[in-house]
């Protein structure tokens, strides 16, 4: 069972899970009806993940054994409405963990590099380090890691998770995060040949291409539980990207592409508080994490996929 399945990650995770486990074995749910394939290629239910009773009834009806909990309010949207971010992010995680405790489900919850803050070492950011975020999103992500650990330690719920960096994809549009620019830039480059970026040219952040993120989510849930020591909070990394460097890489495919800057102080401040590069040695050692895409491979694939999407 997947919550928040209509979003940037869910719209790619659900088809991937259905490929591995069978179309009828993966229930997609979201508070909104999704566009595209996920409602047609297998079961879908409208579900508010903060409503514990509905989550419980739905999990029971479909005999869920694993919950991929993706429903959330992301960083930039969360700063626009911190009360909503708290209510959705904490409320939905609590519902899901309670249902998992009562019904014996395993739970995957993505954490984020937003758990880190200005006082965290930025390059590299260690696995175990200072976590004092300055955004409501980051606060809910730190609390989410701790709550998930608590449900494992206290009740034996099989909770697992990774700290995703910014995710780049060509499927569903990103949901109001600080790294959305790294998706928009490709659509604007292919369609218009230019892009105005809301971050500074040299603001470098850790990023990952969606196929690697999806593989991480499936692999961590498949690995033997005895191997996992840092259950809910694995740093995972793939590439380090800033707007000027990505623009130069795009220019190798679209030589006339131009980038300009209109910096948004709110998103720039959030980006400045996040790691430049996380150290993911622990994920590599404990469950064999290895990324497949670097900035070169990701850019080539994104240009091809976005071009074919826009030509349709
Ligand atoms: P998204 O914003 O694209 O999708 C979130 C989905 O949750 C949306 O479809 C929305 O309709 C749904 N939702 C919101 N409130 C809900 C509720 N009350 N009940 C049920 N559904 C609800 O987000 P995403 O990028 O797919 O992120 C999924 C998870 O991954 C989140 O926990 C996010 O914090 C985490 N994450 C994402 C990124 C990224 O770059 N996309 C990076 C790090 C971590």
């Amino acid at each position: 069972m997947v919550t928040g399945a209509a979003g940037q990650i869910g719209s790619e995770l659900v088809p991937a899970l259905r490929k591995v486990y069978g179309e009828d074995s993966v229930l997609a749910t979201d508070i909104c009806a999704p566009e595209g394939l996920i409602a047609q290629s297998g079961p879908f239910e409208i579900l508010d993940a903060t409503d514990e009773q509905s989550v419980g009834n739905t999990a029971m009806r479909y005999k869920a054994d694993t919950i991929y909990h993706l429903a959330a309010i992301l960083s930039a949207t969360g700063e626009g409405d911190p009360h909503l971010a708290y209510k959705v992010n904490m409320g939905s995680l609590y519902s899901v963990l309670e249902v998992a405790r009562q019904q014996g489900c395993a739970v995957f919850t993505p954490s984020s590099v937003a758990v880190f803050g200005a006082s965290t070492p930025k390059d590299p950011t260690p696995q175990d380090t200072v976590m004092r975020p300055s955004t409501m999103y980051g606060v809910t992500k730190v609390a989410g890691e701790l709550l998930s650990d608590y449900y494992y330690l206290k009740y034996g719920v099989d909770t697992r998770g990774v700290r995703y960096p910014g995710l780049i994809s060509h499927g569903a549009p990103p949901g109001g995060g600080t790294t959305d620019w790294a998706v928009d830039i490709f659509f604007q480059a292919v369609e218009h040949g230019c892009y105005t970026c809301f971050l500074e040219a040299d603001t470098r952040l850790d990023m990952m291409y969606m196929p690697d993120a999806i593989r991480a989510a499936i692999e961590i849930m498949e690995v033997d539980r005895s191997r996992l020591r840092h259950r809910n909070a694995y740093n995972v990394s793939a590439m380090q990207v800033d707007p000027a460097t990505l623009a130069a890489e795009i220019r190798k495919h679209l030589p006339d592409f131009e980038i300009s800057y209109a910096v948004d102080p709110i998103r720039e401040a959030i980006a400045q508080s996040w790691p430049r590069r996380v150290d993911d040695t622990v994920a590599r050692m404990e469950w064999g994490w290895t990324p497949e895409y670097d900035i070169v491979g990701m850019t080539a694939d994104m240009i091809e996929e976005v071009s074919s999407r826009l030509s349709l």
Side-chain angles (χ1 to χ4, degrees), residues 3-11 29-32 47-51 69-75 77 84 87-89 92 108-114 137 141 162-168 172-177 179-180 210:
T3 71
Q8 189 191 5
I9 298 179
S11 59
T29 73
D30 200 287
I31 201 165
C32 307
L47 179 67
D48 179 351
T50 64
D51 178 348
H69 176 46
L70 307 181
I73 303 297
L74 270 63
S75 57
T77 310
L84 179 71
K87 201 171 136 215
V88 172
N89 296 2
S92 66
F108 173 83
T109 310
S111 186
S112 161
V113 292
Y137 178 66
K141 286 295 174 188
V162 297
R163 292 174 180 145
Y164 281 134
L167 299 180
I168 301 174
T179 51
D180 291 7
M210 190 62 88

Side-chain angles (χ1 to χ4, degrees), residues 275-304:
R276 304 280 160 265
R277 178 169 61 96
V278 301
D279 179 352
D280 62 2
T281 313
V282 170
R284 289 169 187 261
M285 280 169 33
E286 287 189 24
W287 51 279
W289 162 247
T290 329
E292 282 177 5
Y293 285 89
D294 60 10
I295 188 170
V296 175
M298 176 277 293
T299 302
D301 202 59
M302 276 295 282
I303 299 268
E304 196 178 318

